[in-house]
């Protein structure tokens, strides 16, 4: 979501005759687009702001947008009085007001509507992967999560607007469409005539667009994985065989404390249905270790579920207490030391899964999407349908395409190597 927001901000400012620079000391306007999910991310913002304040031109304007802006509000100005703007995730389209009146201080952390989508200029050029939000916010209120506070309650965009954005993306360069939402599969829009649109409708309509070759979506809430959506994996071949469906913990007791779906049988049932719909599907998860009151036994259940579901490409985090969340004031908070040990143990299991899956790809042919050159400039990086990184030698780059069939020849835990197939 933040990558998407960043692209929209850049396009908006280009429409005001600004150009991007990598040189901080040269910039006239410096924007930190921020994440507040974990405390570390928030702390990083403030240390970065301190650095920016010293390195920037005296006349340069600087400030924060996104979730830390929403989390801090006017406090941000108290911490750093020189800041010029503090704009939450639904208000960054107001930045041009500052260009008109550089002496003003902008503060807006409203979450009441999705007017930014109407105000932002249309993308004239889209990268190969287009991020398209279908909804923002979340109503689930997991007890660890600051997102309902920073991004607000669920608001789904009109179906026609999403399809219009998708067609525009396909016409201006996109091959892959990634639909976004904090609770993406909770997407539900009722049009003025009373017709209800769900994420499955969005996918079905998008699959009809010729230029679109790959479709995916993130992040999914397990129990919103309804049959109409699962069916899409069977009927729409453009939908990639890869799904991020976070479980967070393998212990039903902890899931209950997290206020997450805590019936593991139901979760396994959804996984089975997905596999029936698309036998080659792979699933990834997010995990939190060291949630308040998590015992060794609870934690072992998490390692066991990672082993059982054979998740690939997963993310794992130490629990981080966040303001405005119920878990932050729960008893039996776990020490940093225990969290670190558990994270390491879980990661070793996740690494085993990833390595095994990558090795199983050797000899297969996969249709991969171009991402860019590697750091050395001698190789080209692609993404497989499972979002694995796949590297090929640049010597091939005369006759290869952005969407390229590649035969996998080597694999390790973190990436694949392959040869393009003509
Ligand atoms: N569905 C949300 C989740 C975003 S946060 C969205 O798309 O916006 C991504 C992941 O961060 C979560 O799935 C969870 O595993 C982790 N996370 C969220 N809050 C956390 C916290 N307080 N401490 C540690 N990890 C957290």
């Amino acid at each position: 979501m933040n990558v998407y927001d960043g692209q929209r901000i850049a396009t908006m400012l280009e429409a005001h005759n600004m150009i991007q620079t990598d040189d901080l000391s040269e910039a006239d306007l410096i924007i930190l687009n921020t994440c507040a999910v974990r405390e570390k991310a928030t702390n990083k913002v403030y240390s970065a702001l301190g650095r920016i304040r010293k390195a920037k031109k005296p006349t340069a304007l600087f400030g924060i947008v996104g979730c830390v802006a929403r989390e801090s509000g006017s406090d941000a100005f108290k911490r750093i009085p020189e800041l010029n703007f503090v704009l939450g995730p639904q208000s960054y389209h107001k930045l041009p007001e500052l260009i008109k009146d550089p002496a003003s201080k902008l503060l807006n952390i409203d979450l009441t509507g999705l007017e930014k989508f109407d105000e932002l200029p249309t993308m004239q050029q889209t990268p190969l992967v287009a991020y398209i939000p279908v909804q923002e916010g979340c109503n689930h209120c997991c007890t660890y999560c600051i997102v309902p506070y920073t991004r607000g309650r669920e608001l789904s965009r009109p179906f026609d607007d999403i399809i219009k954005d998708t067609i525009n993306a396909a016409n201006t360069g996109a091959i892959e469409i990634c639909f976004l939402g904090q609770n993406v599969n909770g997407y539900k829009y009722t049009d003025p005539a009373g017709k209800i649109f769900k994420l499955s409708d969005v996918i079905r309509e998008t699959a009809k667009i010729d230029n679109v070759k790959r479709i995916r979506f993130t992040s999914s809430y397990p129990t919103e994985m309804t049959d109409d959506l699962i069916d899409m994996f069977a009927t729409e071949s453009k939908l990639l065989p890869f799904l991020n469906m976070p479980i967070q913990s393998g212990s039903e007791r902890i899931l209950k404390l997290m206020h997450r779906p805590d019936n593991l049988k139901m979760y396994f049932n959804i996984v089975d249905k997905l596999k029936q719909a698309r036998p080659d599907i792979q699933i990834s998860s997010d995990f939190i270790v060291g949630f308040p009151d998590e015992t060794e036994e609870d934690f072992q259940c998490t390692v066991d579920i990672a082993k059982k579901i054979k998740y690939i490409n997963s993310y794992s985090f130490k629990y981080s207490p966040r303001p405005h969340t119920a878990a932050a004031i729960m008893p039996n908070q776990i020490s940093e030391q225990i969290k670190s040990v558990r994270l390491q143990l879980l990661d070793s299991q996740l690494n085993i899964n990833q390595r095994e899956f990558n090795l199983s790809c050797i000899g297969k042919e996969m249709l991969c999407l171009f991402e860019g050159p590697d750091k050395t400039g001698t190789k080209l990086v692609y993404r497989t349908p499972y979002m694995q990184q796949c590297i090929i030698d640049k010597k091939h780059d005369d006759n290869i395409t952005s969407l390229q069939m590649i035969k996998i020849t080597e694999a390790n835990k973190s990436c694949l190597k392959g040869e393009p197939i003509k």
Side-chain angles (χ1 to χ4, degrees), residues 100-157:
K100 277 188 219 126
D101 179 12
S104 65
K105 291 222 179 240
L106 288 188
L107 169 66
N108 190 317
I109 54 170
D110 290 349
L111 298 171
T112 43
L114 293 180
E115 65 179 48
K116 76 171 176 212
F117 291 109
D118 302 323
E119 306 265 328
L120 293 165
T122 315
M123 300 278 281
Q124 301 296 317
Q125 232 189 338
T126 311
L128 290 175
V129 180
Y131 295 106
I132 300 190
V134 296
Q135 62 85 240
E136 289 213 20
C138 192
N139 291 349
H140 285 298
C141 296
C142 305
T143 53
Y144 51 79
C145 191
I146 196 173
V147 166
Y149 179 78
T150 54
R151 289 258 176 189
R153 289 308 161 107
E154 282 172 31
L155 284 170
S156 287
R157 296 180 64 201

Side-chain angles (χ1 to χ4, degrees), residues 2 16 34 53 81 92 137 214 240 269 355 369 376 390 396:
N2 276 10
H16 285 84
T34 60
R53 180 170 51 177
Y92 59 72
R214 316 211 305 182
L240 292 179
N269 190 20
R355 196 184 146 81
L369 187 74
T376 67
C390 180
H396 299 293

Side-chain angles (χ1 to χ4, degrees), residues 242-303:
F242 178 62
L243 175 69
N244 175 259
M245 188 171 71
I247 184 77
Q248 310 296 359
S249 167
S251 152
E252 289 188 341
R253 195 180 73 84
I254 294 297
L255 287 170
K256 198 171 268 143
L257 290 175
M258 287 178 165
H259 199 241
R260 294 279 300 176
D262 59 7
N263 184 336
L264 285 176
K265 246 197 210 141
M266 211 147 89
Y267 185 90
F268 295 144
N269 190 20
I270 295 169
V271 173
D272 285 346
K273 285 203 256 180
L274 284 161
K275 282 189 179 152
Q276 271 162 28
R278 183 74 73 88
D280 61 349
I281 201 166
Q282 295 293 332
I283 295 167
S284 82
S285 179
D286 298 351
F287 294 95
I288 296 176
V289 301
F291 186 83
D293 208 33
E294 183 187 71
T295 61
E296 279 302 323
E297 213 182 332
D298 293 317
F299 169 68
Q300 196 50 50
C301 295
T302 302
V303 177

Side-chain angles (χ1 to χ4, degrees), residues 37-38 144 181-182 219 248 286 288 317-320 322:
V37 157
R38 281 166 293 276
Y144 51 79
Q182 275 75 49
S219 313
Q248 310 296 359
D286 298 351
I288 296 176
F317 310 101
K318 289 193 261 186
Y319 166 71
S320 166
R322 307 303 294 124

